[in-house]
Amino acid sequence: MSNKIYPIGIQNFEKIRKEGLFYIDKTALVYQMVKTGSYYFLSRPRRFGKSLLVSTLEAYFQGKKELFEGLAMEKLEKEWIKHPILHLDLNIEKYDSLQSLEDILEKAIVAWEKLYGAEPSERSLSLRFAGVIERACKQAGHRVVILVDEYDKPMLQSIGDEELQKEFRKTLQAFYGAIKTMDGYIQFAFLTGVTKFGKVSVFSALNNLIDLSMDERYVALCGITEEEIRTNLEQELYELADRQRMGYEEVCRELKECYDGYHFVEDSIGIYNPFSLLNTFYKMKFGNYWFETGTPTYLVELLQMHHYDLHKMAHVETDADVLNSIDSSSTNPIPVIYQSGYLTIKGYDREFGIYRLGFPNREVEEGFMKFLLPYYANTDKVEAPFEVQKFVREIRAGDYDSFFRRLQSFFADTTYEIIREQELHYQNVLFVVFKLMGFYTNVEYRTSEGRIDLVLQTDKFIYVMEFKLDGTAEEALRQINEKHYAQPFAADSRKLFKIGVNFSAKTRNIEKWIVEF
């Protein structure tokens, strides 16, 4: 049995090193970064190791050489200069008013002023910040290092409240602007966050940042690569395979399918979600660990606010400007969903500079669909997984009547803007349901101009379905026959059902289904 102690939920580099916890050496990349630039920004999804990276930088700039014993940095760094550090963590507050942001900035500045002094003439937050930077540098005899963790938390929590976002933006613009004006006193600045707000944003006064988010040289700065897994966790891979009654290569494939697949730049290596990966080795079983820590509701609010067609999310095409920059007043929810880690780069058209997005792995795809279901269908969060289970059992048993009656219940008494967006709503509900069923059955789902055709396969049955909106079930069945949708399965020994379904705008539900064997 492995004797590794995994730092699950531990983001402090010093604690990890002093207590001998498992650590994958990223310090060669850290050294490269600090020696080739001064001002950086990195966007990565939550639970991806951003805070640990900030803590590693803090230990390095504090000159704590002993913590880097045995790591690449020990051989690379020769000077180990101790710099004054101003570390601001915006992850610890709930931002529901301007006062909540001002309170946390005030708390940080008061702590710094106790160390480096204050001037009565410095009244605003930004002036006090600038004053602290100057005095810290002069007192220490070395330039200041500024580390900001989760810089975007206030902006993310106020999505949908334009006035509050405007207030947050003004405050943060001025505050971060002090970093640029005090350049002569600063050695290094590093800001992290889940998202990057663009245009007239918090970064407008801080335009000297190097954005590492889509930089191929730094894709492995946070997260874990397959090579790192095989190098650092070889024994544990065999143990996991044994515990799961799988072969070694089989367990590697399962890990890849569940947790790999993050691509932060085109044609780059895949990155594994570190939180899910380490939990898997700790518990020696697979699970949706990233999702168990909570998915932000603002993502669903964005999708619903902008009446987004969920089917498009599985094959989004966009360009780098959209991926790299979130405009708080934008009607496109995709940049936030991409930067939050629910979509990733799947392909790239070099000629036109177009990125194709998709879900990174099974954990994210299945978890996100399960999370969406209660927001779109008439079911609660507790019952949703069991409803999907029942759907699958009914389809496997050939009980299509029970299946459609259960589907009818999903449309009942919905509060989501069904009258104005009824066609999109019924498509979204069907998309989420069939996407979830696709993890247990073979589902092909296509939509075009309000029409849906679906092929669903189990070990014993094949279902070819056509959905209509304000047509007739007979018309839908006729289309299956006239367009020969069942032709590809003519030689298949499984029992085939052709099912025409009509959705009524008047009743806002499935009105009728008819079946032909």
Side-chain angles (χ1 to χ4, degrees), residues 23-27 29-30 42 44 48-49 53 212-213 215-228 262 264-265 268-272:
Y23 177 74
I24 291 177
D25 189 359
K26 302 287 186 179
T27 60
L29 281 175
V30 171
L42 178 69
R44 284 292 182 268
F48 238 83
L53 175 60
L212 301 180
S213 307
D215 190 323
E216 189 170 4
R217 295 168 299 175
Y218 294 99
V219 290
L221 192 56
C222 290
I224 300 173
T225 68
E226 185 166 350
E227 183 183 349
E228 287 171 335
Y262 289 92
F264 300 110
V265 64
S268 70
I269 56 171
I271 301 294
Y272 286 72

PDB file of all heavy atoms in Angstrom, residues 23-27 29-30 42 44 48-49 53 212-213 215-228 262 264-265 268-272:
ATOM      1  N   TYR A  23       3.908  16.046  -3.527  1.00  0.00           N
ATOM      2  CA  TYR A  23       4.036  17.270  -4.318  1.00  0.00           C
ATOM      3  C   TYR A  23       4.697  16.938  -5.656  1.00  0.00           C
ATOM      4  O   TYR A  23       5.734  16.283  -5.697  1.00  0.00           O
ATOM      5  CB  TYR A  23       4.875  18.313  -3.568  1.00  0.00           C
ATOM      6  CG  TYR A  23       5.114  19.579  -4.363  1.00  0.00           C
ATOM      7  CD1 TYR A  23       4.088  20.513  -4.563  1.00  0.00           C
ATOM      8  CD2 TYR A  23       6.366  19.839  -4.929  1.00  0.00           C
ATOM      9  CE1 TYR A  23       4.315  21.656  -5.299  1.00  0.00           C
ATOM     10  CE2 TYR A  23       6.594  20.996  -5.659  1.00  0.00           C
ATOM     11  CZ  TYR A  23       5.570  21.908  -5.851  1.00  0.00           C
ATOM     12  OH  TYR A  23       5.786  23.052  -6.590  1.00  0.00           O
ATOM     13  N   ILE A  24       4.059  17.371  -6.728  1.00  0.00           N
ATOM     14  CA  ILE A  24       4.650  17.219  -8.064  1.00  0.00           C
ATOM     15  C   ILE A  24       5.405  18.500  -8.377  1.00  0.00           C
ATOM     16  O   ILE A  24       4.846  19.602  -8.324  1.00  0.00           O
ATOM     17  CB  ILE A  24       3.560  16.930  -9.119  1.00  0.00           C
ATOM     18  CG1 ILE A  24       2.975  15.530  -8.890  1.00  0.00           C
ATOM     19  CG2 ILE A  24       4.128  17.044 -10.534  1.00  0.00           C
ATOM     20  CD1 ILE A  24       1.847  15.146  -9.817  1.00  0.00           C
ATOM     21  N   ASP A  25       6.678  18.359  -8.684  1.00  0.00           N
ATOM     22  CA  ASP A  25       7.591  19.496  -8.812  1.00  0.00           C
ATOM     23  C   ASP A  25       7.258  20.382 -10.013  1.00  0.00           C
ATOM     24  O   ASP A  25       7.419  19.987 -11.168  1.00  0.00           O
ATOM     25  CB  ASP A  25       9.028  18.959  -8.934  1.00  0.00           C
ATOM     26  CG  ASP A  25      10.067  20.066  -8.843  1.00  0.00           C
ATOM     27  OD1 ASP A  25       9.678  21.242  -8.700  1.00  0.00           O
ATOM     28  OD2 ASP A  25      11.272  19.740  -8.912  1.00  0.00           O
ATOM     29  N   LYS A  26       6.806  21.592  -9.741  1.00  0.00           N
ATOM     30  CA  LYS A  26       6.518  22.587 -10.782  1.00  0.00           C
ATOM     31  C   LYS A  26       7.533  23.734 -10.748  1.00  0.00           C
ATOM     32  O   LYS A  26       7.365  24.738 -11.441  1.00  0.00           O
ATOM     33  CB  LYS A  26       5.117  23.174 -10.573  1.00  0.00           C
ATOM     34  CG  LYS A  26       3.979  22.161 -10.566  1.00  0.00           C
ATOM     35  CD  LYS A  26       3.671  21.628 -11.944  1.00  0.00           C
ATOM     36  CE  LYS A  26       2.434  20.735 -11.928  1.00  0.00           C
ATOM     37  NZ  LYS A  26       2.094  20.230 -13.276  1.00  0.00           N
ATOM     38  N   THR A  27       8.593  23.578  -9.939  1.00  0.00           N
ATOM     39  CA  THR A  27       9.446  24.729  -9.656  1.00  0.00           C
ATOM     40  C   THR A  27      10.358  25.136 -10.817  1.00  0.00           C
ATOM     41  O   THR A  27      10.806  26.277 -10.859  1.00  0.00           O
ATOM     42  CB  THR A  27      10.291  24.498  -8.390  1.00  0.00           C
ATOM     43  OG1 THR A  27      11.137  23.345  -8.577  1.00  0.00           O
ATOM     44  CG2 THR A  27       9.405  24.274  -7.177  1.00  0.00           C
ATOM     45  N   LEU A  29       9.273  25.419 -13.890  1.00  0.00           N
ATOM     46  CA  LEU A  29       8.409  26.371 -14.598  1.00  0.00           C
ATOM     47  C   LEU A  29       8.291  27.685 -13.816  1.00  0.00           C
ATOM     48  O   LEU A  29       8.260  28.766 -14.411  1.00  0.00           O
ATOM     49  CB  LEU A  29       7.022  25.772 -14.810  1.00  0.00           C
ATOM     50  CG  LEU A  29       6.850  24.784 -15.957  1.00  0.00           C
ATOM     51  CD1 LEU A  29       5.445  24.193 -15.951  1.00  0.00           C
ATOM     52  CD2 LEU A  29       7.126  25.446 -17.304  1.00  0.00           C
ATOM     53  N   VAL A  30       8.226  27.591 -12.494  1.00  0.00           N
ATOM     54  CA  VAL A  30       8.160  28.793 -11.659  1.00  0.00           C
ATOM     55  C   VAL A  30       9.420  29.629 -11.854  1.00  0.00           C
ATOM     56  O   VAL A  30       9.353  30.859 -12.024  1.00  0.00           O
ATOM     57  CB  VAL A  30       7.982  28.419 -10.166  1.00  0.00           C
ATOM     58  CG1 VAL A  30       8.145  29.651  -9.271  1.00  0.00           C
ATOM     59  CG2 VAL A  30       6.617  27.778  -9.935  1.00  0.00           C
ATOM     60  N   LEU A  42      -2.784  34.584 -14.675  1.00  0.00           N
ATOM     61  CA  LEU A  42      -3.101  33.204 -15.059  1.00  0.00           C
ATOM     62  C   LEU A  42      -4.542  32.891 -14.713  1.00  0.00           C
ATOM     63  O   LEU A  42      -4.969  33.038 -13.567  1.00  0.00           O
ATOM     64  CB  LEU A  42      -2.179  32.213 -14.334  1.00  0.00           C
ATOM     65  CG  LEU A  42      -2.457  30.729 -14.626  1.00  0.00           C
ATOM     66  CD1 LEU A  42      -2.096  30.381 -16.070  1.00  0.00           C
ATOM     67  CD2 LEU A  42      -1.714  29.825 -13.657  1.00  0.00           C
ATOM     68  N   ARG A  44      -7.306  29.887 -14.555  1.00  0.00           N
ATOM     69  CA  ARG A  44      -7.516  28.433 -14.533  1.00  0.00           C
ATOM     70  C   ARG A  44      -8.815  28.144 -13.763  1.00  0.00           C
ATOM     71  O   ARG A  44      -9.211  28.919 -12.903  1.00  0.00           O
ATOM     72  CB  ARG A  44      -6.347  27.705 -13.853  1.00  0.00           C
ATOM     73  CG  ARG A  44      -5.088  27.589 -14.701  1.00  0.00           C
ATOM     74  CD  ARG A  44      -5.290  26.669 -15.887  1.00  0.00           C
ATOM     75  NE  ARG A  44      -4.089  26.506 -16.693  1.00  0.00           N
ATOM     76  CZ  ARG A  44      -3.775  27.249 -17.756  1.00  0.00           C
ATOM     77  NH1 ARG A  44      -4.576  28.230 -18.124  1.00  0.00           N
ATOM     78  NH2 ARG A  44      -2.698  27.014 -18.456  1.00  0.00           N
ATOM     79  N   PHE A  48      -7.775  23.971  -9.274  1.00  0.00           N
ATOM     80  CA  PHE A  48      -6.757  23.556 -10.232  1.00  0.00           C
ATOM     81  C   PHE A  48      -5.340  23.841  -9.756  1.00  0.00           C
ATOM     82  O   PHE A  48      -4.377  23.677 -10.490  1.00  0.00           O
ATOM     83  CB  PHE A  48      -6.990  24.226 -11.599  1.00  0.00           C
ATOM     84  CG  PHE A  48      -7.155  23.240 -12.711  1.00  0.00           C
ATOM     85  CD1 PHE A  48      -8.376  22.656 -12.959  1.00  0.00           C
ATOM     86  CD2 PHE A  48      -6.085  22.869 -13.508  1.00  0.00           C
ATOM     87  CE1 PHE A  48      -8.545  21.735 -13.972  1.00  0.00           C
ATOM     88  CE2 PHE A  48      -6.228  21.940 -14.530  1.00  0.00           C
ATOM     89  CZ  PHE A  48      -7.466  21.371 -14.760  1.00  0.00           C
ATOM     90  N   GLY A  49      -5.199  24.309  -8.509  1.00  0.00           N
ATOM     91  CA  GLY A  49      -3.862  24.529  -7.955  1.00  0.00           C
ATOM     92  C   GLY A  49      -3.357  25.951  -8.052  1.00  0.00           C
ATOM     93  O   GLY A  49      -2.160  26.193  -7.852  1.00  0.00           O
ATOM     94  N   LEU A  53       0.085  27.475  -6.300  1.00  0.00           N
ATOM     95  CA  LEU A  53       1.106  28.157  -7.105  1.00  0.00           C
ATOM     96  C   LEU A  53       1.468  29.499  -6.483  1.00  0.00           C
ATOM     97  O   LEU A  53       2.658  29.854  -6.372  1.00  0.00           O
ATOM     98  CB  LEU A  53       0.597  28.344  -8.538  1.00  0.00           C
ATOM     99  CG  LEU A  53       1.495  29.142  -9.484  1.00  0.00           C
ATOM    100  CD1 LEU A  53       2.868  28.486  -9.634  1.00  0.00           C
ATOM    101  CD2 LEU A  53       0.825  29.298 -10.852  1.00  0.00           C
ATOM    102  N   LEU A 212      -0.676  34.320 -19.138  1.00  0.00           N
ATOM    103  CA  LEU A 212      -0.159  32.962 -19.348  1.00  0.00           C
ATOM    104  C   LEU A 212      -1.273  31.947 -19.630  1.00  0.00           C
ATOM    105  O   LEU A 212      -0.978  30.772 -19.863  1.00  0.00           O
ATOM    106  CB  LEU A 212       0.613  32.492 -18.107  1.00  0.00           C
ATOM    107  CG  LEU A 212       1.817  33.332 -17.678  1.00  0.00           C
ATOM    108  CD1 LEU A 212       2.444  32.713 -16.430  1.00  0.00           C
ATOM    109  CD2 LEU A 212       2.836  33.436 -18.789  1.00  0.00           C
ATOM    110  N   SER A 213      -2.518  32.391 -19.614  1.00  0.00           N
ATOM    111  CA  SER A 213      -3.650  31.466 -19.664  1.00  0.00           C
ATOM    112  C   SER A 213      -3.645  30.576 -20.898  1.00  0.00           C
ATOM    113  O   SER A 213      -4.049  29.420 -20.840  1.00  0.00           O
ATOM    114  CB  SER A 213      -4.971  32.248 -19.592  1.00  0.00           C
ATOM    115  OG  SER A 213      -4.962  33.111 -18.481  1.00  0.00           O
ATOM    116  N   ASP A 215      -0.783  30.234 -22.920  1.00  0.00           N
ATOM    117  CA  ASP A 215       0.628  30.171 -23.297  1.00  0.00           C
ATOM    118  C   ASP A 215       1.091  28.718 -23.220  1.00  0.00           C
ATOM    119  O   ASP A 215       1.093  28.110 -22.144  1.00  0.00           O
ATOM    120  CB  ASP A 215       1.458  31.045 -22.341  1.00  0.00           C
ATOM    121  CG  ASP A 215       2.901  31.221 -22.807  1.00  0.00           C
ATOM    122  OD1 ASP A 215       3.473  30.250 -23.344  1.00  0.00           O
ATOM    123  OD2 ASP A 215       3.449  32.323 -22.621  1.00  0.00           O
ATOM    124  N   GLU A 216       1.492  28.158 -24.345  1.00  0.00           N
ATOM    125  CA  GLU A 216       1.841  26.736 -24.416  1.00  0.00           C
ATOM    126  C   GLU A 216       2.970  26.362 -23.466  1.00  0.00           C
ATOM    127  O   GLU A 216       3.018  25.251 -22.934  1.00  0.00           O
ATOM    128  CB  GLU A 216       2.215  26.364 -25.859  1.00  0.00           C
ATOM    129  CG  GLU A 216       2.374  24.869 -26.060  1.00  0.00           C
ATOM    130  CD  GLU A 216       2.501  24.484 -27.516  1.00  0.00           C
ATOM    131  OE1 GLU A 216       2.532  25.384 -28.373  1.00  0.00           O
ATOM    132  OE2 GLU A 216       2.590  23.278 -27.787  1.00  0.00           O
ATOM    133  N   ARG A 217       3.898  27.292 -23.214  1.00  0.00           N
ATOM    134  CA  ARG A 217       5.048  26.998 -22.340  1.00  0.00           C
ATOM    135  C   ARG A 217       4.610  26.733 -20.903  1.00  0.00           C
ATOM    136  O   ARG A 217       5.346  26.093 -20.142  1.00  0.00           O
ATOM    137  CB  ARG A 217       6.030  28.174 -22.362  1.00  0.00           C
ATOM    138  CG  ARG A 217       6.685  28.432 -23.709  1.00  0.00           C
ATOM    139  CD  ARG A 217       7.389  29.764 -23.715  1.00  0.00           C
ATOM    140  NE  ARG A 217       6.469  30.871 -23.485  1.00  0.00           N
ATOM    141  CZ  ARG A 217       6.841  32.148 -23.351  1.00  0.00           C
ATOM    142  NH1 ARG A 217       8.128  32.460 -23.385  1.00  0.00           N
ATOM    143  NH2 ARG A 217       5.939  33.100 -23.168  1.00  0.00           N
ATOM    144  N   TYR A 218       3.427  27.233 -20.518  1.00  0.00           N
ATOM    145  CA  TYR A 218       3.008  27.143 -19.126  1.00  0.00           C
ATOM    146  C   TYR A 218       1.717  26.351 -18.931  1.00  0.00           C
ATOM    147  O   TYR A 218       1.056  26.482 -17.897  1.00  0.00           O
ATOM    148  CB  TYR A 218       2.841  28.558 -18.550  1.00  0.00           C
ATOM    149  CG  TYR A 218       4.156  29.299 -18.474  1.00  0.00           C
ATOM    150  CD1 TYR A 218       4.516  30.229 -19.450  1.00  0.00           C
ATOM    151  CD2 TYR A 218       5.059  29.055 -17.437  1.00  0.00           C
ATOM    152  CE1 TYR A 218       5.724  30.905 -19.395  1.00  0.00           C
ATOM    153  CE2 TYR A 218       6.265  29.724 -17.372  1.00  0.00           C
ATOM    154  CZ  TYR A 218       6.598  30.645 -18.351  1.00  0.00           C
ATOM    155  OH  TYR A 218       7.806  31.306 -18.285  1.00  0.00           O
ATOM    156  N   VAL A 219       1.362  25.497 -19.905  1.00  0.00           N
ATOM    157  CA  VAL A 219       0.105  24.732 -19.767  1.00  0.00           C
ATOM    158  C   VAL A 219       0.131  23.810 -18.545  1.00  0.00           C
ATOM    159  O   VAL A 219      -0.902  23.529 -17.944  1.00  0.00           O
ATOM    160  CB  VAL A 219      -0.222  23.901 -21.039  1.00  0.00           C
ATOM    161  CG1 VAL A 219      -0.617  24.791 -22.186  1.00  0.00           C
ATOM    162  CG2 VAL A 219       0.917  22.980 -21.404  1.00  0.00           C
ATOM    163  N   ALA A 220       1.329  23.348 -18.150  1.00  0.00           N
ATOM    164  CA  ALA A 220       1.427  22.397 -17.026  1.00  0.00           C
ATOM    165  C   ALA A 220       1.751  23.079 -15.700  1.00  0.00           C
ATOM    166  O   ALA A 220       2.027  22.414 -14.708  1.00  0.00           O
ATOM    167  CB  ALA A 220       2.497  21.344 -17.333  1.00  0.00           C
ATOM    168  N   LEU A 221       1.681  24.419 -15.659  1.00  0.00           N
ATOM    169  CA  LEU A 221       1.994  25.149 -14.431  1.00  0.00           C
ATOM    170  C   LEU A 221       1.011  24.791 -13.312  1.00  0.00           C
ATOM    171  O   LEU A 221       1.373  24.702 -12.145  1.00  0.00           O
ATOM    172  CB  LEU A 221       1.960  26.658 -14.718  1.00  0.00           C
ATOM    173  CG  LEU A 221       2.527  27.607 -13.666  1.00  0.00           C
ATOM    174  CD1 LEU A 221       3.969  27.255 -13.316  1.00  0.00           C
ATOM    175  CD2 LEU A 221       2.433  29.049 -14.151  1.00  0.00           C
ATOM    176  N   CYS A 222      -0.251  24.595 -13.676  1.00  0.00           N
ATOM    177  CA  CYS A 222      -1.276  24.098 -12.748  1.00  0.00           C
ATOM    178  C   CYS A 222      -1.892  22.851 -13.370  1.00  0.00           C
ATOM    179  O   CYS A 222      -2.004  22.757 -14.592  1.00  0.00           O
ATOM    180  CB  CYS A 222      -2.375  25.140 -12.533  1.00  0.00           C
ATOM    181  SG  CYS A 222      -1.853  26.574 -11.586  1.00  0.00           S
ATOM    182  N   GLY A 223      -2.325  21.924 -12.543  1.00  0.00           N
ATOM    183  CA  GLY A 223      -2.844  20.671 -13.084  1.00  0.00           C
ATOM    184  C   GLY A 223      -1.725  19.650 -13.216  1.00  0.00           C
ATOM    185  O   GLY A 223      -0.559  19.925 -12.899  1.00  0.00           O
ATOM    186  N   ILE A 224      -2.066  18.452 -13.692  1.00  0.00           N
ATOM    187  CA  ILE A 224      -1.105  17.340 -13.749  1.00  0.00           C
ATOM    188  C   ILE A 224      -1.128  16.711 -15.138  1.00  0.00           C
ATOM    189  O   ILE A 224      -2.196  16.509 -15.712  1.00  0.00           O
ATOM    190  CB  ILE A 224      -1.449  16.280 -12.675  1.00  0.00           C
ATOM    191  CG1 ILE A 224      -1.392  16.926 -11.274  1.00  0.00           C
ATOM    192  CG2 ILE A 224      -0.508  15.090 -12.737  1.00  0.00           C
ATOM    193  CD1 ILE A 224      -1.874  16.028 -10.145  1.00  0.00           C
ATOM    194  N   THR A 225       0.045  16.416 -15.682  1.00  0.00           N
ATOM    195  CA  THR A 225       0.140  15.790 -16.997  1.00  0.00           C
ATOM    196  C   THR A 225       0.178  14.269 -16.855  1.00  0.00           C
ATOM    197  O   THR A 225       0.470  13.734 -15.774  1.00  0.00           O
ATOM    198  CB  THR A 225       1.404  16.253 -17.738  1.00  0.00           C
ATOM    199  OG1 THR A 225       2.560  15.723 -17.059  1.00  0.00           O
ATOM    200  CG2 THR A 225       1.490  17.776 -17.791  1.00  0.00           C
ATOM    201  N   GLU A 226      -0.063  13.577 -17.955  1.00  0.00           N
ATOM    202  CA  GLU A 226      -0.002  12.112 -17.924  1.00  0.00           C
ATOM    203  C   GLU A 226       1.408  11.635 -17.589  1.00  0.00           C
ATOM    204  O   GLU A 226       1.584  10.666 -16.830  1.00  0.00           O
ATOM    205  CB  GLU A 226      -0.438  11.546 -19.284  1.00  0.00           C
ATOM    206  CG  GLU A 226      -0.505  10.027 -19.275  1.00  0.00           C
ATOM    207  CD  GLU A 226      -1.257   9.456 -20.469  1.00  0.00           C
ATOM    208  OE1 GLU A 226      -1.891  10.221 -21.211  1.00  0.00           O
ATOM    209  OE2 GLU A 226      -1.192   8.231 -20.644  1.00  0.00           O
ATOM    210  N   GLU A 227       2.408  12.316 -18.117  1.00  0.00           N
ATOM    211  CA  GLU A 227       3.796  11.948 -17.815  1.00  0.00           C
ATOM    212  C   GLU A 227       4.083  12.078 -16.321  1.00  0.00           C
ATOM    213  O   GLU A 227       4.741  11.226 -15.717  1.00  0.00           O
ATOM    214  CB  GLU A 227       4.762  12.846 -18.612  1.00  0.00           C
ATOM    215  CG  GLU A 227       6.220  12.480 -18.417  1.00  0.00           C
ATOM    216  CD  GLU A 227       7.164  13.411 -19.157  1.00  0.00           C
ATOM    217  OE1 GLU A 227       6.697  14.217 -19.986  1.00  0.00           O
ATOM    218  OE2 GLU A 227       8.382  13.331 -18.891  1.00  0.00           O
ATOM    219  N   GLU A 228       3.552  13.146 -15.701  1.00  0.00           N
ATOM    220  CA  GLU A 228       3.754  13.337 -14.261  1.00  0.00           C
ATOM    221  C   GLU A 228       3.058  12.241 -13.452  1.00  0.00           C
ATOM    222  O   GLU A 228       3.579  11.817 -12.422  1.00  0.00           O
ATOM    223  CB  GLU A 228       3.230  14.719 -13.850  1.00  0.00           C
ATOM    224  CG  GLU A 228       4.130  15.864 -14.310  1.00  0.00           C
ATOM    225  CD  GLU A 228       3.514  17.234 -14.100  1.00  0.00           C
ATOM    226  OE1 GLU A 228       2.270  17.339 -14.044  1.00  0.00           O
ATOM    227  OE2 GLU A 228       4.281  18.217 -13.985  1.00  0.00           O
ATOM    228  N   TYR A 262      -8.210  18.619 -20.408  1.00  0.00           N
ATOM    229  CA  TYR A 262      -8.165  20.082 -20.398  1.00  0.00           C
ATOM    230  C   TYR A 262      -7.069  20.554 -21.344  1.00  0.00           C
ATOM    231  O   TYR A 262      -5.906  20.181 -21.186  1.00  0.00           O
ATOM    232  CB  TYR A 262      -7.889  20.605 -18.995  1.00  0.00           C
ATOM    233  CG  TYR A 262      -9.054  20.430 -18.046  1.00  0.00           C
ATOM    234  CD1 TYR A 262      -9.158  19.286 -17.260  1.00  0.00           C
ATOM    235  CD2 TYR A 262     -10.043  21.395 -17.956  1.00  0.00           C
ATOM    236  CE1 TYR A 262     -10.234  19.120 -16.390  1.00  0.00           C
ATOM    237  CE2 TYR A 262     -11.122  21.226 -17.088  1.00  0.00           C
ATOM    238  CZ  TYR A 262     -11.217  20.092 -16.321  1.00  0.00           C
ATOM    239  OH  TYR A 262     -12.271  19.921 -15.466  1.00  0.00           O
ATOM    240  N   PHE A 264      -5.623  24.123 -22.679  1.00  0.00           N
ATOM    241  CA  PHE A 264      -5.707  25.567 -22.483  1.00  0.00           C
ATOM    242  C   PHE A 264      -5.104  26.348 -23.653  1.00  0.00           C
ATOM    243  O   PHE A 264      -5.125  27.568 -23.652  1.00  0.00           O
ATOM    244  CB  PHE A 264      -5.016  25.945 -21.170  1.00  0.00           C
ATOM    245  CG  PHE A 264      -5.642  25.272 -19.980  1.00  0.00           C
ATOM    246  CD1 PHE A 264      -4.972  24.271 -19.284  1.00  0.00           C
ATOM    247  CD2 PHE A 264      -6.928  25.606 -19.578  1.00  0.00           C
ATOM    248  CE1 PHE A 264      -5.560  23.639 -18.195  1.00  0.00           C
ATOM    249  CE2 PHE A 264      -7.527  24.978 -18.490  1.00  0.00           C
ATOM    250  CZ  PHE A 264      -6.837  23.992 -17.794  1.00  0.00           C
ATOM    251  N   VAL A 265      -4.591  25.617 -24.624  1.00  0.00           N
ATOM    252  CA  VAL A 265      -4.097  26.218 -25.860  1.00  0.00           C
ATOM    253  C   VAL A 265      -4.186  25.135 -26.930  1.00  0.00           C
ATOM    254  O   VAL A 265      -4.184  23.939 -26.614  1.00  0.00           O
ATOM    255  CB  VAL A 265      -2.642  26.743 -25.681  1.00  0.00           C
ATOM    256  CG1 VAL A 265      -1.668  25.606 -25.403  1.00  0.00           C
ATOM    257  CG2 VAL A 265      -2.183  27.560 -26.876  1.00  0.00           C
ATOM    258  N   SER A 268      -2.057  21.336 -27.573  1.00  0.00           N
ATOM    259  CA  SER A 268      -1.199  21.131 -26.391  1.00  0.00           C
ATOM    260  C   SER A 268      -1.509  19.780 -25.760  1.00  0.00           C
ATOM    261  O   SER A 268      -2.497  19.131 -26.088  1.00  0.00           O
ATOM    262  CB  SER A 268      -1.435  22.244 -25.367  1.00  0.00           C
ATOM    263  OG  SER A 268      -2.719  22.105 -24.782  1.00  0.00           O
ATOM    264  N   ILE A 269      -0.649  19.374 -24.846  1.00  0.00           N
ATOM    265  CA  ILE A 269      -0.901  18.141 -24.105  1.00  0.00           C
ATOM    266  C   ILE A 269      -2.150  18.321 -23.235  1.00  0.00           C
ATOM    267  O   ILE A 269      -2.502  19.442 -22.859  1.00  0.00           O
ATOM    268  CB  ILE A 269       0.300  17.758 -23.206  1.00  0.00           C
ATOM    269  CG1 ILE A 269       0.641  18.922 -22.254  1.00  0.00           C
ATOM    270  CG2 ILE A 269       1.488  17.346 -24.042  1.00  0.00           C
ATOM    271  CD1 ILE A 269       1.654  18.570 -21.198  1.00  0.00           C
ATOM    272  N   GLY A 270      -2.799  17.214 -22.904  1.00  0.00           N
ATOM    273  CA  GLY A 270      -3.951  17.274 -22.020  1.00  0.00           C
ATOM    274  C   GLY A 270      -3.508  17.432 -20.574  1.00  0.00           C
ATOM    275  O   GLY A 270      -2.455  16.925 -20.172  1.00  0.00           O
ATOM    276  N   ILE A 271      -4.309  18.139 -19.791  1.00  0.00           N
ATOM    277  CA  ILE A 271      -4.023  18.337 -18.370  1.00  0.00           C
ATOM    278  C   ILE A 271      -5.134  17.685 -17.553  1.00  0.00           C
ATOM    279  O   ILE A 271      -6.316  17.843 -17.849  1.00  0.00           O
ATOM    280  CB  ILE A 271      -3.931  19.846 -18.028  1.00  0.00           C
ATOM    281  CG1 ILE A 271      -2.826  20.521 -18.860  1.00  0.00           C
ATOM    282  CG2 ILE A 271      -3.687  20.050 -16.540  1.00  0.00           C
ATOM    283  CD1 ILE A 271      -1.420  20.063 -18.549  1.00  0.00           C
ATOM    284  N   TYR A 272      -4.733  16.946 -16.526  1.00  0.00           N
ATOM    285  CA  TYR A 272      -5.683  16.295 -15.626  1.00  0.00           C
ATOM    286  C   TYR A 272      -6.098  17.255 -14.516  1.00  0.00           C
ATOM    287  O   TYR A 272      -5.281  18.047 -14.041  1.00  0.00           O
ATOM    288  CB  TYR A 272      -5.052  15.063 -14.976  1.00  0.00           C
ATOM    289  CG  TYR A 272      -4.890  13.868 -15.876  1.00  0.00           C
ATOM    290  CD1 TYR A 272      -3.931  13.861 -16.894  1.00  0.00           C
ATOM    291  CD2 TYR A 272      -5.677  12.729 -15.715  1.00  0.00           C
ATOM    292  CE1 TYR A 272      -3.761  12.751 -17.717  1.00  0.00           C
ATOM    293  CE2 TYR A 272      -5.516  11.617 -16.525  1.00  0.00           C
ATOM    294  CZ  TYR A 272      -4.559  11.636 -17.530  1.00  0.00           C
ATOM    295  OH  TYR A 272      -4.401  10.542 -18.342  1.00  0.00           O
TER     296      TYR A 272
END
